[in-house]
Amino acid sequence: AKVLEIARRLSRGEALRTEEEEEEEGCQRHREPLEVFCKEDGALLCAICRESRAHRAHTVLPVPEIVREYKEQIQAGLQTLKDDRDKLLELREAEMRRNW
């Protein structure tokens, strides 16, 4: 959810949080900044959590990279929806003309 929120803010051209705000939203357990994203758990992790047994074997990516990845997926899905909408509008218009 946090990654999607970051992607939304970036796509709208909004500024990301300041360092003070990030520190407030850092790791609750270690008070460290959240630097990586665990793909298996879908969670942002600090460096200490990353090395814990719970995540050591998991695939993790830096936050900017995962934001870029999810943003591309969202944009691809959005383009598909726009194309489908355009096709439906064309079909509706054709039906309306045929009915007339």
Side-chain angles (χ1 to χ4, degrees):
K2 286 185 181 267
V3 171
L4 290 175
E5 179 60 28
I6 291 169
R8 278 189 216 115
R9 287 180 181 195
L10 289 173
S11 68
R12 291 187 299 227
E14 292 180 12
L16 293 178
R17 292 184 173 98
T18 65
E19 287 182 30
E20 292 172 6
E21 291 171 325
E22 284 179 10
E23 286 176 9
E24 290 176 7
E25 291 191 17
C27 178
Q28 298 296 319
R29 177 184 259 171
H30 303 109
R31 304 273 187 224
E32 294 286 324
L34 301 171
E35 299 173 346
V36 294
F37 182 79
C38 176
K39 290 186 95 169
E40 280 81 353
D41 294 328
L44 291 167
L45 307 173
C46 73
I48 298 170
C49 289
R50 162 61 181 114
E51 295 303 320
S52 70
R53 278 185 257 156
H55 301 284
R56 191 177 302 154
H58 292 176
T59 303
V60 295
L61 295 170
V63 171
E65 188 175 324
I66 201 72
V67 167
R68 196 169 31 256
E69 183 179 309
Y70 279 109
K71 186 175 178 181
E72 289 170 2
Q73 289 177 8
I74 291 167
Q75 288 175 337
L78 181 60
Q79 187 59 47
T80 300
L81 290 172
K82 285 179 180 179
D83 293 344
D84 289 347
R85 181 195 63 198
D86 292 343
K87 288 177 188 175
L88 287 171
L89 290 174
E90 288 174 17
L91 286 172
R92 185 175 118 199
E93 188 176 321
E95 273 302 306
M96 289 177 75
R97 272 190 256 128
R98 189 174 72 83
N99 287 336
W100 278 100

